[in-house]
Amino acid sequence: MNTALSWIKAYVPDLSCTPQEYLDAMTLSGTKVETYECLDKNLDKIVVGQIEKIEKHPDADKLIVCQVNIGKETIQIVTGAPNVKEGDKVPVVLDGGKVAGGHDGGPLPEDGIVIRNGKLRGVDSYGMMCSIEELGSNRDMYPTAPENGIFIFPEDTEVGADAIAVLGLHDTVFEYEITSNRVDCYSVLGIAREAAVTFHKDFIAPKVEIKDNGEKIEDYISVEVKDPDLCSRYCARVCTNIKIAPSPEWMQRRLAASGIRPINNLVDITNYVMEEYGQPMHAFDLDTIAGNKIVVKRAKDGDTFQTLDGQMRNLDADILMICDAQKEVGIAGIMGGENSKITDDVKTVLFEAATFNGANIRKSAKRLGLRTDASGKFEKGLDPRNAEAAINRACQLIQELGCGDVVGGMVDVCEPLKPLNRIAFRPERINELLGTNVSADEMLDIFKRLELEYDEVSNELVIPSFRQDLEGIADLAEEVCRFHGYDKVPVTLPSGEATTGKLPFKLRIEEKARDVAEYCGFSQGMCYSFESPKVFDKLLIPQDDVLRKAIVISNPLGEDFSIMRTISLHGMLTSLSTNYNRRNKDVRLYELGNIYLPKSIPLEERPDERMQFTLGFYGDGDFFTMKGVIEEFFDAVGMDDKVVYDPNSEKPFLHPGRQANILYKNTVVGYLGEVHPLVADNYDIGTKAYVAVLDMPNVVPFATFERKYQGIAKYPAVTRDISMVVPKEIMVGQIEAMIAQRGGKILEGYSLFDIYEGSQIKEGFKSVAYSIVFRAKDRTLEDNDINAAMKKILNGLEGLGIELRQ
């Protein structure tokens, strides 16, 4: 999207700023300006001169000597231009002035070319007459300029005037990057509205008034829309007594600055309105419209159509066509047809301004390989209300430029227009979203300048139809932020747990589980949630066990994936089996995955989805290795209280004497043990395998990441080792519980360092050795302190049937 600053100032007349100030302010307010080009760059000391006398050069046949009146004086200029004659008014660069480039129209030098007085073949020359290319422009912008030669001004041009101003080159062309949701800014009026609000100036829209010729449009044309899903509005107006001529220079300059080549007044008007209002239009020669009727309908598969560019296009049933009573005359929203084009002989013109389905236009243009300025705007999704305003503006220009007469009335085939959107005005919510403290009055002032009406009764803002991007309170907050100033928004920290730079607590516990498992040499695996009912038999689960009450998949991939798993071991044991049978020696795997426990069968509500932390290994290690991993995890998540292992877990898939439930504060949080030999055989695992499963919903409530600092001990520790003969049925957990209970405040810690069973120990007993550490925080311990604590511990152990080893 390109616009000239002079065109913007036509609607924001008080706008005064440098090009760089305009770029910075507009970009900061949300209308991004990519770059700009000053049309008068490197043009200096150039005036309008009139050639009063021409003589041949005495020493060069192709040169002439001109006496040129520049207003204050007459100067002599030598030139080789073939197209000048006495009386012509031409641009003249004076001594020390600059031009943008050479007469060949090649790349422009960065700093221009300085013109100095000099001699040409021995004759003095005090300046230079310019071609349009030397002024940094071209014949697209100035169609009347000669292809080779000096630019000639109209006869009424003032001698001595600033030639750059006369040419309209004291202007700047800006290039914008418009986002697709801001359809209104694909127009000069839309950009001007943004500029007016940005610079706190008044926006003055064109005042459209039309005086018709008293005739009725119904006598000229009728319109039928057969596919309203692709054309929600079709407006048509007729102009008679058309006179084709060049459009005025101001219109040519504005179109050329926007990258559109001026052609004639009629074509230029349709292009001008398209750029000004963002509404593409098309003009038909009404004498070529059969039956004086327009029909908007889909094409037929296999049809062909010749467009204005002379190419034959293959059509299909998804392409919308503009037809008359007999034939197609245009591809809707893309390009008109060769059979209805405007020629110099046109007398009556039919103007079309419509709203077509944007997605259909985009797809049609892609299939046809034909993308135009019109299709580029239509595919964004235009405002239906804009069609009427644009076609009236075109008819006004027809009158103002003396191009023809306007027939009274307009044919308007329109689907019911949607009511204007309303959004509740909640200034406190806007400030909450932005982290600002903007007053309600300032917000209303911004909305007023944006042409949003405030309904005091309902406390709602009425959104104009051209602002289709404003849908909710967040969009209003964005408008306040844009024009209050992004630079005025204070720095604030986001609120809410999800934006504080941390994972939710539950996910942090799961992350810690991964860290501990991988630190201990386990690799992560992912197992299926869908399983086979045969799994329960492989795991030796009894027929009446609650685990067999699984959710059945209504459309399973097969029997092996027909239920939702209620236990996580099958996937783990299958993975261990695969590794074992591929001769991997020491394998350690873990998984974090859900099991699905139905609350009732058949399902009446969602099942209980419980995350399970499952570990499994075979090879180097035993039951106590797995126990160590579990305790490492508990320590990492702040579960510092004593963990109890209950051997009466009775899991059928675990070895009867080598399994335990894991209890923390009297809550079962999981289990661990050696896999039952029969289960190992069922999974074809030919070695001892160990598994552990932690139920994370039961673990998370006990976990914490709070840590309390304890200073370095100032006083020495005292260690006592004891070796005991213990009945085999006594668990080391019972021994440790007794030590912790009887050790008192000076007990700092204890650790098991030896277990022995053999011929030196009487039958039914085992040897267990502990190292016990004592330390006081406020003094150095004496023997009496240690002996008293040890006596209490030993008395407690004797009560369990334990003896000191002699």
Side-chain angles (χ1 to χ4, degrees), residues 70 117 161 178 205 277 340 353 361 476 481 584 639 724:
I70 58 172
N117 293 341
I178 307 297
Y277 278 76
S340 61
I361 295 298
L476 296 180
C481 192
N584 292 327
M639 295 170 66
M724 300 167 285

Side-chain angles (χ1 to χ4, degrees), residues 467-486:
R467 288 303 303 271
Q468 300 179 32
D469 59 307
L470 301 183
E471 298 178 348
I473 191 69
D475 299 314
L476 296 180
E478 182 183 7
E479 297 304 295
V480 171
C481 192
R482 289 202 298 136
F483 296 109
H484 174 68
Y486 288 112

Side-chain angles (χ1 to χ4, degrees), residues 666-737:
N666 298 321
T667 299
V668 177
V669 296
Y671 57 86
L672 80 161
E674 180 185 327
V675 176
H676 196 291
L678 295 179
V679 174
D681 288 342
N682 289 339
Y683 283 91
D684 199 18
I685 302 175
T687 187
K688 291 182 179 180
Y690 299 89
V691 294
V693 177
L694 292 179
D695 186 49
M696 298 302 279
N698 280 342
V699 170
V700 170
F702 297 117
T704 178
F705 289 106
E706 295 182 1
R707 298 290 185 271
K708 293 184 178 179
Y709 169 76
Q710 291 184 345
I712 298 174
K714 296 181 179 180
Y715 301 97
V718 178
T719 302
R720 292 286 188 268
D721 294 343
I722 58 173
S723 180
M724 300 167 285
V725 177
V726 181
K728 285 189 176 181
E729 63 271 15
I730 299 297
M731 310 296 293
V732 292
Q734 295 173 267
I735 299 173
E736 293 178 356

Side-chain angles (χ1 to χ4, degrees), residues 272-484:
Y272 184 87
V273 173
M274 178 176 70
E275 291 300 302
E276 185 179 41
Y277 278 76
Q279 171 67 51
M281 294 183 58
H282 190 68
F284 298 99
D285 185 342
L286 188 58
D287 292 335
T288 66
I289 303 300
N292 283 30
K293 182 176 183 179
I294 290 293
V295 181
V296 183
K297 62 180 181 179
R298 284 178 165 87
K300 295 179 181 178
D301 289 332
D303 284 357
T304 58
F305 180 71
Q306 187 176 22
T307 47
L308 277 172
D309 57 2
Q311 299 294 315
M312 294 299 298
R313 307 289 177 178
N314 296 318
L315 309 178
D316 59 52
D318 290 326
I319 295 177
L320 190 66
M321 301 298 293
I322 309 299
C323 310
D324 60 20
Q326 299 176 358
K327 62 186 182 299
E328 295 97 344
V329 294
I331 303 176
I334 300 178
M335 186 177 283
E338 182 73 18
N339 56 9
S340 61
K341 69 179 181 180
I342 299 294
T343 66
D344 291 342
D345 300 325
V346 65
K347 299 300 181 186
T348 306
V349 166
L350 170 66
F351 277 127
E352 164 197 286
T355 305
F356 300 116
N357 181 283
N360 177 262
I361 295 298
R362 182 175 65 252
K363 293 176 182 177
S364 297
K366 187 175 182 179
R367 286 198 300 275
L368 292 169
L370 179 63
R371 197 170 189 273
T372 60
D373 289 339
S375 69
K377 285 183 165 59
F378 274 121
E379 67 187 25
K380 304 294 189 300
L382 300 184
D383 171 19
R385 288 178 170 84
N386 197 34
E388 181 178 359
I391 201 170
N392 288 337
R393 173 65 166 162
C395 291
Q396 179 195 33
L397 292 172
I398 288 286
Q399 285 183 336
E400 289 184 354
L401 303 186
C403 186
D405 301 322
V406 180
V407 173
M410 176 182 74
V411 176
D412 186 7
V413 180
C414 181
E415 292 293 294
L417 295 174
K418 294 180 180 179
L420 295 179
N421 187 26
R422 288 172 170 262
I423 303 175
F425 178 51
R426 299 167 55 197
E428 70 288 346
R429 177 57 178 158
I430 291 174
N431 280 321
E432 182 182 336
L433 287 169
L434 298 178
T436 55
N437 191 26
V438 182
S439 68
D441 289 340
E442 182 178 348
M443 292 183 191
L444 289 174
D445 179 63
I446 291 172
F447 294 143
K448 182 179 179 180
R449 289 188 280 123
L450 287 168
E451 300 184 31
L452 278 64
E453 295 182 9
Y454 177 54
D455 186 341
E456 294 185 18
V457 176
S458 62
N459 191 37
E460 291 177 323
L461 292 162
V462 183
I463 311 302
S465 60
F466 59 81
R467 288 303 303 271
Q468 300 179 32
D469 59 307
L470 301 183
E471 298 178 348
I473 191 69
D475 299 314
L476 296 180
E478 182 183 7
E479 297 304 295
V480 171
C481 192
R482 289 202 298 136
F483 296 109
H484 174 68

Side-chain angles (χ1 to χ4, degrees), residues 212 325 643:
D212 60 65
V643 178

Side-chain angles (χ1 to χ4, degrees), residues 150-172:
I150 303 302
F151 181 82
I152 309 298
F153 286 110
E155 294 181 1
D156 59 352
T157 306
E158 179 187 354
V159 175
D162 180 355
I164 304 307
V166 173
L167 288 167
L169 290 175
H170 287 312
D171 203 355
T172 305

